[in-house]
Amino acid sequence: MILIHCPYCDEKRPEIEFANAGQAHIARPLDPSGQSDADWETYLFIRANPRGRHHERWRHIHGCGRFFNAVRDTVTDKFETTYKAGEPRR
Amino acid sequence: MSGFRLETGGRIDRSQPVRFDFDGKTYQGFAGDSLASALLANGVMLFGRSFKYHRPRGLVAAGSEEPNALISVNRGPGRFTPNLRATGVEIHDGLIATSQNRWPSLAMDFGAINDRLGMFFPAGFYNKTFMWPRSFWDRVYEPAIRKMAGLGDAPTTEDPDVYASTYAHCDLLIIGAGPAGIDAALGFMDTNKRIVLIDEQDELGGGALADPALWPWLERSVKALTDAPNVTILTRTTAFGYYHDNFIGAVQRLTDHLPDVTDAPREKLWRIRAGEVVLAQGAIERPLVFDGNDTPGVMLSSAAKVYANRYGVAVGKALALMASHDSGWHDVFALAKAGVGISVIIDVRESVDSALILEASRLGITVYLNHGVVGVNGRHNVSSIDICDYGDQRVSRIDCDALLMAGGWTPSVHLWSHSKGSLKWRDDLGAYVPDVPNENVHCVGGCSGDWDFGTGAIIDMLPTPKDQSRIKAFVDFQNDVTAKDIMLAVREGFRSIEHIKRYTTNGMATDQGKTSNLNGLQIASSALNKPVTDIGLTSFRPPYTPQTFGALAGHAKGALFQPTRTTNIDDWAQAHGAVFELVAQWRRARYFPHSGEDMHAAVNRECVAVRSSVGIFDASTLGKIEVVGPDAAEFLNRMYTNPWKALEPGRCRYGLLLKEDGFITDDGVSARLAPDRFHLTTTTGGAARVLNMMEDYLQTEWPDLDVWLTSTTEQYAVIALQGPNARKVLEPLLEGIDLSAEAFPHMAIREGRICGIETRLFRVSFTGELGFEINVPTAYGRAVWEQLMAQGAQYGITPYGTEAMHVLRAEKGFIIVGQDTDGTVTPFDAGLDWAVGKKKPDFVGKRSMARSDIVALGRKQLVGLLTDDPNLVLEEGAQIVADPKQPIPMTMIGHVTSSYWSETLGRSIAMALVAGGHDMTGNTLHIPMPGKTHTAKVSGVVFYDPEGARLHV
Ligand SMILES: [Zn+2]
């Protein structure tokens, strides 16, 4: 069972306290109605599926409840880093 | 009869005889014996029948790598365990064990005909033969194969045992308490590290248990470790899996070795998080591959040493050794010292260390170098062996009653591999050893390839002058895979060991190839004429040895399998005969049958009571979220399809929640209590999902909004009071709330007191009748419910369950999200476009409602269905077709989502999702169901009181 560092609690906790919330750094467009079908499709459906470094969102759902971002290696399943929502991509 | 108890020696307690049963016969052993050693001491050599050919099989090993001696232990009703290795079963008085895979008896087995037909059972036989005809599979092939094949019998009754589990944390976890593991523990004992030392055997020592010279050291070491306050010792404990971040699963066997069955936990699952792990799992001796190497009496030389030195048992009276490695010579010398008769050493090598030759000659042992065994005689036990002189190819026969194999050593890298550490090939060992770790872990001793067993030649199989196609030289004993099978797989084009493994099943038995993987790899490598490192390596996966489901499940079974959430009114429902159903994790009353009533009758009565007088319903399971803050209305306006900003305090609104893709995900009635405070409700099953979704938007998309979300689902008991007499029942119990239609209209909320208890009183209806939902603090739920029951008695107040609730809402065309929607239904599809704020610039899902496929024609839309036969209730989930005469497979244009008998309407009603359904009103559709295709006319979804006159009273 992986240990995940919650950047809000600043503690490593077992993965069962967390929930994955999909790819990170996909901001909801500020003006959805102004989006072309293609842009909206990209926002809604198009996701990366990298072999290696992957930016993901996680929620410390059975802890502080905060969403945060993480870089996880999809091959080794190791977390490289985690950081607070709103901080720049690492 | 071959094995026997030595006069002296061993760690058994000869003062404590133990009586046990094997295959119905009583035997005697001593305390400290394994089932294997005790049976060997009684001359038993035949332990089971093999998986495919039902060949007689005896012991190969003395430890958990044993591939053959799988037995069942019966500890009474429900306590039957198949597929235990006899080498790991400690005997106790009254132990009842049986052999497996034999019929009618171990000595005379019917299935052994498979062995005579062995020519016809090559690798991939099942894949090739049983493919055709398809219809034969279910009726002929599978039943026959199931009867003949398989390992042991599955238990047939529920397991009455209790299993414990615990978490543990330590600085240093040492797995394996042989000399290397014990040395590691001693080395760190005087630090302040918390150390856990675990070993699968009943006592510490590992290989040292078979080396009497080490016993004084062992005794001192075990005492020191036992006395050390920072060292926890777990014996009879198997570390079965190594997971991320030094998380190790281990099962401790607590009571199976005790004579009496008690109610104490049988096993304990340890979940251990370690700062650092030391793997000291040792190495496993490798069998040699030659014709007849599976005959009972042919075993690993290290095993014979364990039986002699640890258990005081000789595996035979006249032993022979077939070696390709020095370690076998040392074992044999130790056996001679222990009094076991060993007459012959055969070694495939042309020369060996002269010291070995000298010692053999001193002990009077005849040595054959550059020789190999090419045949084993005797079916139920070795009687003699044929050896071939590789110089002149001459074959001669030697009498013996046990043949030892010494084919070198395989480091036990299973847990290292679980942890994703990499391996490197060592030509000198002919084995993979740990290379780069992936966790904070070190390997010490045998499992790192570090041993003092001497050297050896690494060979794939012993050369033989015999025709390869006529011999059975086993590689995987448990799965009956021969060298020939692997060579056939290569001839048929398999190149990677991963594929060869799956085609031949080599290494896929319950022992995961502990004794067979490396031999299989070498044989494939020779057949492919490629280095071993070019054909890959199969992965080890947990568990290291088979573990019980009981240990893994622990307490999570029966009522504790998952939590059951109950409301404060649940006890009352139970006491009043409710029939319950599980909704999400909630236990909900489904209906309240009177004596003699079936569900149909009870639901009809409950529905009629609500429509004609008053019904009472426990709605406490509704999800509830308190939304508070200056931006609360703005937040809800962005989340829900409806406009919220103009909603006045004291009023309610039906809220429809979409996902960003435009599809309905939840709904519920919510109330504005104050400008900055809302009381949301969600579906019972959707509460957690909705809160998560709202938190997501609030935290990550709109962190600027000043809003707080709190789950209040369990803070309130909710009682729905529904029916034309609801107001009359409620009125006398209220304080501070004017219930009149003018003061308290439909879709409003008031705060006051009921029976003296604070309440949030909603005037809402999921039935189409005048209705209220009374929210009180959870602890008062039942008390208020009982007051309402007393007050309502004069009106025949009737408790109703979820089934009647479903009928009543369906009569009104109210949808259930997840039943009438399926994650691909838009508000328009569901006929809920009235709930979408057209003027709102944005809300979650709005942009998607303009996507081309969502505005396209032919989408499935929610309609009502009225069957032409009013008495026929359609099956929910039934498919719908436009033309029943079309050829099969028909084009299905939709399906029935909700279907009930409506007692109020005196007929059946249904809702369905039908392609283009909104334009089909009045059309006849066809619903094929078992036996008959039914017809129904498309209608609107509101079957009862379409004007809503009954609500506004
Ligand atoms: Zn946290």
Side-chain angles (χ1 to χ4, degrees):
Chain A
M1 194 181 353
I2 304 174
L3 293 173
I4 300 174
H5 179 260
C6 172
Y8 293 94
C9 296
D10 197 15
E11 269 198 52
K12 271 193 161 185
R13 307 291 301 172
E15 63 179 283
I16 51 168
E17 292 185 12
F18 298 83
N20 183 287
Q23 190 177 335
H25 300 296
I26 297 176
R28 187 174 190 269
L30 293 174
D31 174 23
S33 54
Q35 299 278 303
S36 69
D37 276 358
D39 289 346
W40 190 247
E41 178 201 32
T42 302
Y43 163 68
L44 267 189
F45 300 123
I46 307 303
R47 296 292 180 268
N49 185 20
R51 185 179 193 280
R53 283 184 105 233
H54 188 34
H55 290 77
E56 318 179 291
R57 305 189 317 137
W58 286 76
R59 185 180 183 207
H60 195 185
I61 190 163
H62 300 297
C64 64
R66 301 301 298 265
F67 285 83
F68 58 89
N69 294 326
V71 181
R72 185 177 62 92
D73 188 308
T74 59
V75 178
T76 63
D77 216 6
K78 279 187 185 296
F79 279 73
E80 179 185 307
T81 184
T82 57
Y83 51 102
K84 292 177 179 174
E87 289 181 9
R89 185 185 180 91
R90 288 189 186 172
Chain B
M1 286 289 175
S2 188
F4 62 95
R5 186 77 68 181
L6 294 161
E7 288 300 317
T8 57
R11 298 174 69 80
I12 46 164
D13 183 350
R14 290 170 195 257
S15 69
Q16 281 197 59
V18 173
R19 294 171 71 80
F20 64 97
D21 275 29
F22 180 63
D23 278 349
K25 193 174 164 194
T26 303
Y27 296 91
Q28 185 184 298
F30 292 117
D33 260 327
S34 70
L35 180 61
S37 69
L39 286 171
L40 259 185
N42 282 280
V44 175
M45 298 302 276
L46 182 56
F47 275 75
R49 289 275 174 174
S50 73
F51 179 67
K52 197 155 75 176
Y53 303 123
H54 284 229
R55 283 168 69 98
R57 288 289 167 79
L59 293 164
V60 167
S64 62
E65 72 273 29
E66 170 59 37
N68 280 341
L70 298 183
I71 54 94
S72 306
V73 169
N74 190 348
R75 292 165 62 244
R79 293 185 160 98
F80 177 85
T81 313
N83 297 335
L84 292 168
R85 292 159 305 280
T87 51
V89 175
E90 296 170 51
I91 60 164
H92 56 74
D93 276 319
L95 174 75
I96 297 172
T98 47
S99 59
Q100 300 182 165
N101 287 7
R102 79 285 191 276
W103 184 83
S105 75
L106 189 51
M108 189 193 133
D109 180 275
F110 202 70
I113 191 77
N114 284 5
D115 190 26
R116 311 277 187 244
L117 299 175
M119 293 299 169
F120 307 109
F121 280 86
F125 174 75
Y126 290 84
N127 315 40
K128 289 169 184 164
T129 311
F130 295 124
M131 291 298 285
W132 184 90
R134 176 65 184 83
S135 60
F136 267 41
W137 180 256
D138 295 337
R139 286 181 292 118
V140 183
Y141 296 145
E142 194 185 341
I145 293 169
R146 281 196 185 282
K147 192 165 161 53
M148 300 291 276
L151 288 168
D153 298 315
T156 52
T157 48
E158 196 177 326
D159 182 353
D161 274 318
V162 175
Y163 296 83
S165 65
T166 190
Y167 284 87
H169 298 82
C170 61
D171 301 300
L172 178 64
L173 171 65
I174 301 166
I175 298 171
I182 288 176
D183 270 344
L186 292 171
F188 287 99
M189 189 178 72
D190 295 327
T191 65
N192 57 4
K193 285 180 191 291
R194 288 171 300 162
I195 300 170
V196 174
L197 173 64
I198 69 182
D199 194 275
E200 62 180 346
Q201 303 211 50
D202 57 316
E203 59 173 327
L204 303 185
L209 296 171
D211 192 344
L214 291 175
W215 290 355
W217 165 84
L218 181 59
E219 195 176 334
R220 283 195 309 275
S221 305
V222 171
K223 182 170 186 328
L225 293 172
T226 308
D227 291 345
N230 56 332
V231 179
T232 303
I233 297 172
L234 301 174
T235 53
R236 298 189 179 90
T237 305
T238 302
F240 63 81
Y242 194 139
Y243 305 92
H244 287 290
D245 287 325
N246 273 358
F247 189 73
I248 280 84
V251 170
Q252 183 180 21
R253 294 171 294 282
L254 299 169
T255 55
D256 272 5
H257 61 289
L258 302 174
D260 297 317
V261 172
T262 67
D263 55 4
R266 180 186 179 208
E267 295 178 342
K268 185 176 190 176
L269 175 66
W270 290 77
R271 297 176 175 95
I272 306 171
R273 181 81 68 179
E276 184 178 358
V277 173
V278 168
L279 294 176
Q281 293 190 282
I284 293 169
E285 194 171 26
R286 215 177 296 174
L288 288 161
V289 181
F290 54 90
D291 189 18
N293 64 343
D294 68 326
T295 310
V298 181
M299 66 169 64
L300 298 170
S301 78
S302 58
K305 186 174 89 172
V306 171
Y307 287 117
N309 280 341
R310 181 171 177 193
Y311 298 109
V313 176
V315 300
K317 294 186 176 66
L319 277 60
L321 168 71
M322 178 66 237
S324 68
H325 197 279
D326 294 350
S327 67
W329 295 65
H330 296 295
D331 289 340
V332 156
F333 300 154
L335 285 170
K337 197 170 175 188
V340 180
I342 171 96
S343 48
V344 183
I345 293 176
I346 306 134
D347 200 303
V348 72
R349 294 172 291 180
E350 287 176 11
S351 67
V352 299
D353 187 346
S354 59
L356 297 175
I357 304 277
L358 272 177
E359 179 67 4
S361 123
R362 196 183 67 78
L363 292 166
I365 301 172
T366 312
V367 172
Y368 297 91
L369 295 183
N370 195 28
H371 277 65
V373 176
V374 295
V376 178
N377 306 302
R379 184 153 178 88
H380 287 176
N381 194 39
V382 181
S383 57
S384 63
I385 53 174
D386 298 329
I387 66 169
C388 176
D389 182 334
Y390 293 142
D392 58 14
Q393 300 297 308
R394 228 163 37 87
V395 174
S396 54
R397 182 160 292 188
I398 295 173
D399 288 338
C400 64
D401 62 355
L403 173 63
L404 311 184
M405 301 179 282
W409 292 82
T410 305
S412 209
V413 296
H414 298 73
L415 290 186
W416 174 270
S417 294
H418 296 177
S419 79
K420 305 282 193 290
S422 70
L423 298 168
K424 67 175 176 225
W425 178 255
R426 268 180 63 180
D427 266 327
D428 60 329
L429 303 178
Y432 282 101
V433 295
D435 190 11
V436 181
N438 184 49
E439 302 277 359
N440 189 10
V441 56
H442 306 274
C443 284
V444 296
C447 68
S448 65
D450 170 22
W451 57 62
D452 52 6
F453 306 142
T455 59
I458 303 303
I459 49 167
D460 51 1
M461 59 184 297
L462 296 183
T464 178
K466 290 184 181 173
D467 177 356
Q468 281 289 349
S469 69
R470 312 293 304 180
I471 68 172
K472 280 213 178 89
F474 285 87
V475 181
D476 184 327
F477 294 97
Q478 198 171 104
N479 263 357
D480 264 1
V481 180
T482 63
K484 191 168 55 185
D485 291 328
I486 294 170
M487 291 186 272
L488 175 67
V490 168
R491 278 207 305 282
E492 294 192 354
F494 293 94
R495 292 290 175 267
S496 155
I497 197 67
E498 290 282 1
H499 297 148
I500 293 169
K501 163 182 167 173
R502 280 160 182 80
Y503 192 56
T504 62
T505 72
N506 193 64
M508 290 175 70
T510 67
D511 60 355
Q512 280 196 58
K514 290 188 178 67
T515 53
S516 65
N517 278 345
L518 266 290
N519 281 335
L521 209 51
Q522 299 274 11
I523 292 167
S525 153
S526 300
L528 285 163
N529 200 19
K530 278 184 180 175
V532 164
T533 45
D534 283 4
I535 56 175
L537 176 66
T538 58
S539 314
F540 291 113
R541 296 199 174 82
Y544 175 68
T545 52
Q547 301 301 328
T548 64
F549 284 116
L552 300 182
H555 298 294
K557 61 177 182 177
L560 297 180
F561 177 67
Q562 64 168 356
T564 300
R565 303 171 78 180
T566 54
T567 71
N568 191 253
I569 298 155
D570 183 83
D571 289 347
W572 186 94
Q574 171 99 42
H576 289 77
V579 174
F580 291 94
E581 67 172 342
L582 282 176
V583 180
Q585 288 179 325
W586 287 99
R587 189 171 97 131
R588 302 196 73 180
R590 194 174 180 197
Y591 56 98
F592 292 84
H594 289 175
S595 81
E597 275 184 341
D598 61 7
M599 182 172 96
H600 188 65
V603 171
N604 287 347
R605 175 179 50 74
E606 290 171 14
C607 288
V608 167
V610 172
R611 295 270 181 246
S612 62
S613 180
V614 62
I616 185 168
F617 175 72
D618 182 2
S620 303
T621 66
L622 274 181
K624 299 174 253 324
I625 301 169
E626 192 95 342
V627 182
V628 184
D631 296 322
E634 171 63 25
F635 176 68
L636 294 180
N637 211 45
R638 295 185 193 183
M639 292 303 303
Y640 284 98
T641 61
N642 333 49
W644 291 82
K645 286 169 139 174
L647 186 69
E648 288 171 23
R651 297 307 302 252
C652 302
R653 178 151 291 169
Y654 172 76
L656 191 60
L657 189 68
L658 310 184
K659 288 193 293 180
E660 203 67 91
D661 57 16
F663 299 128
I664 296 169
T665 189
D666 205 79
D667 69 350
V669 170
S670 300
R672 189 169 202 169
L673 293 160
D676 63 350
R677 182 177 292 266
F678 290 80
H679 177 127
L680 260 53
T681 71
T682 74
T683 58
T684 292
R689 188 177 65 237
V690 170
L691 181 62
N692 188 60
M693 176 177 167
M694 289 186 170
E695 278 288 347
D696 192 350
Y697 278 92
L698 190 55
Q699 288 183 32
T700 68
E701 300 294 352
W702 309 314
D704 52 310
L705 294 184
D706 191 356
V707 180
W708 294 90
L709 305 174
T710 307
S711 168
T712 51
T713 301
E714 295 188 345
Q715 309 309 310
Y716 291 102
V718 183
I719 301 166
L721 202 62
Q722 302 278 312
N725 286 321
R727 186 181 281 124
K728 289 181 207 156
V729 176
L730 195 53
E731 201 142 35
L733 305 178
L734 286 182
E735 292 168 53
I737 298 175
D738 179 352
L739 269 192
S740 68
E742 304 71 41
F744 193 179
H746 181 54
M747 294 298 270
I749 182 169
R750 297 291 179 265
E751 292 178 88
R753 287 179 177 273
I754 181 167
C755 310
I757 309 301
E758 278 176 48
T759 183
R760 289 179 177 178
L761 182 64
F762 286 68
R763 184 175 165 190
V764 288
S765 173
F766 201 40
T767 61
E769 301 298 328
L770 168 67
F772 299 91
E773 288 184 0
I774 303 145
N775 287 251
V776 291
T778 296
Y780 295 99
R782 179 171 176 170
V784 172
W785 174 282
E786 287 179 340
Q787 292 294 314
L788 288 163
M789 284 299 296
Q791 192 64 37
Q794 55 189 310
Y795 305 104
I797 189 169
T798 300
Y800 65 99
T802 51
E803 199 63 29
M805 178 269 280
H806 275 109
V807 176
L808 294 164
R809 66 89 199 175
E811 288 170 347
K812 287 292 295 176
F814 296 145
I815 65 162
I816 301 252
V817 172
Q819 176 168 342
D820 303 299
T821 70
D822 63 2
T824 66
V825 175
T826 67
F828 184 76
D829 298 339
L832 295 171
D833 26 335
W834 58 266
V836 177
K838 306 281 182 305
K839 292 184 195 136
K840 288 168 66 172
D842 187 22
F843 55 81
V844 173
K846 179 179 168 72
R847 173 62 184 84
S848 289
M849 291 172 71
R851 284 169 51 218
S852 55
D853 52 334
I854 284 185
V855 296
L857 295 175
R859 290 188 58 78
K860 286 186 183 171
Q861 295 164 332
L862 194 70
V863 295
L865 284 184
L866 290 169
T867 48
D868 290 344
D869 173 0
N871 290 316
L872 179 97
V873 181
L874 293 169
E875 281 185 17
E876 290 178 352
Q879 296 294 318
I880 298 167
V881 299
D883 171 14
K885 297 194 177 67
Q886 64 186 300
I888 291 170
M890 298 187 185
T891 303
M892 295 175 285
I893 59 171
H895 68 278
V896 178
T897 62
S898 290
S899 178
Y900 308 96
W901 172 258
S902 166
E903 185 72 2
T904 304
L905 298 168
R907 61 154 302 135
S908 69
I909 55 169
M911 289 197 265
L913 283 167
V914 177
H918 288 168
D919 298 324
M920 287 187 178
T921 306
N923 291 12
T924 295
L925 294 176
H926 304 267
I927 303 99
M929 284 190 355
K932 189 163 186 265
T933 296
H934 301 282
T935 52
K937 295 217 167 40
V938 176
S939 71
V941 294
V942 185
F943 301 99
Y944 183 68
D945 186 27
E947 310 79 32
R950 302 180 67 85
L951 281 172
H952 301 281
V953 292

